[in-house]
Amino acid sequence: MSAKSNAALKYTGMRLAVFAGSFAVVAVLVHFGVLPKGLGESNSIWVVLLALVISAPLSFVLLRKQRDAMSDQIVGKVDEAKERLAANRSQEDEAVDAAAAAAARSTAAPQASA
């Protein structure tokens, strides 16, 4: 596999790493009382949600290059699929046209002999 072929996997891994880092920082800040602990037993949900809110814009800014590489990879694969589909359609069109021409010849041949 080339470096381009696993761009989505690399982006996903880096996105999870950014989330894990955000989660660790938020958990430490909540543990030491810098951030509020939430309400009642909601501490773990609070930490996860806050880490998600923090990691989303960080990922957007920090992982732009990886996201663009993944996008290029996906666009390339979609273009290849479109080319294959167009080639298949043209083969089908040629087969239909050939069958129609053969049918036209076979119906025209008896009329010419009459």
Side-chain angles (χ1 to χ4, degrees):
M1 279 188 165
S2 68
K4 277 268 195 192
S5 66
N6 54 1
L9 193 60
K10 182 178 179 182
Y11 175 73
T12 302
M14 293 179 81
R15 184 98 193 255
L16 286 172
V18 168
F19 171 73
S22 298
F23 181 79
V25 168
V26 169
V28 167
L29 291 175
V30 167
H31 178 72
F32 287 114
V34 176
L35 294 174
K37 293 187 183 216
L39 298 172
E41 298 296 319
S42 68
N43 186 24
S44 58
I45 295 171
W46 165 253
V47 172
V48 169
L49 289 176
L50 193 55
L52 281 171
V53 168
I54 291 172
S55 70
L58 284 175
S59 296
F60 185 74
V61 173
L62 297 175
L63 303 179
R64 180 167 300 177
K65 182 179 171 185
Q66 289 78 17
R67 189 174 53 254
D68 289 343
M70 181 180 67
S71 174
D72 291 341
Q73 176 187 3
I74 291 170
V75 166
K77 288 185 180 185
V78 168
D79 288 343
E80 289 173 10
K82 284 181 181 179
E83 289 172 6
R84 285 194 307 267
L85 182 61
N88 288 341
R89 283 185 182 162
S90 68
Q91 287 178 351
E92 289 175 6
D93 290 345
E94 290 170 4
V96 168
D97 291 343
R105 281 190 302 247
S106 67
T107 57
Q111 290 175 358
S113 62

